[in-house]
Amino acid sequence: MLTSLLSAPSLLGAASPTPSPAVKAEDVSPGTVGFIVTALLAVVTILLIVSMARKIRRVRYREQVRQEFEGPDEPLEERPRRGRR
C-alpha cells in the first residue's frame, strides 16, 4: 500500500499534456488594439495625476493665503472683518 502511494505522483507526473495546435499565438496576444488601449490608459492616468496635483497645489496655496490674511493666532470672534463681503 505504501509503495503504491509513493509511486502515484510519479505516474501522474509522467503524463504531460501537449498544447493544442488549433490555437495560434496571434489569437492569444493583445496585438495592436491591446497596445493602443494600454497606451491610452497610461496617457489618461498621467493627465489625471497632473490635474490632481495642480488642484491640490491650489487648495494648499489658498489655505496659506487665507491664514496669512486672517492671522492664525487671533481667535475667530475677536478678528476684525477684512476684505469684501
Side-chain angles (χ1 to χ4, degrees):
M1 173 131 170
L2 184 60
T3 56
S4 64
L5 288 175
L6 294 175
S7 64
S10 64
L11 291 176
L12 294 174
S16 62
T18 57
S20 172
V23 179
K24 297 178 185 176
E26 298 86 32
D27 293 339
V28 295
S29 69
T32 307
V33 175
F35 174 75
I36 291 171
V37 169
T38 304
L40 285 175
L41 283 173
V43 168
V44 168
T45 302
I46 290 170
L47 291 174
L48 283 173
I49 290 171
V50 169
S51 173
M52 181 183 64
R54 286 181 184 164
K55 290 179 188 264
I56 290 173
R57 199 175 313 124
R58 280 189 208 139
V59 168
R60 286 183 182 169
Y61 179 72
R62 286 179 184 165
E63 180 65 22
Q64 181 183 9
V65 169
R66 186 186 65 78
Q67 284 180 356
E68 289 176 5
F69 185 69
E70 292 178 352
D73 297 331
E74 301 173 9
L76 184 62
E77 301 84 30
E78 297 176 10
R79 283 188 221 153
R81 292 191 176 202
R82 300 177 195 162
R84 292 187 246 164
R85 287 188 181 190

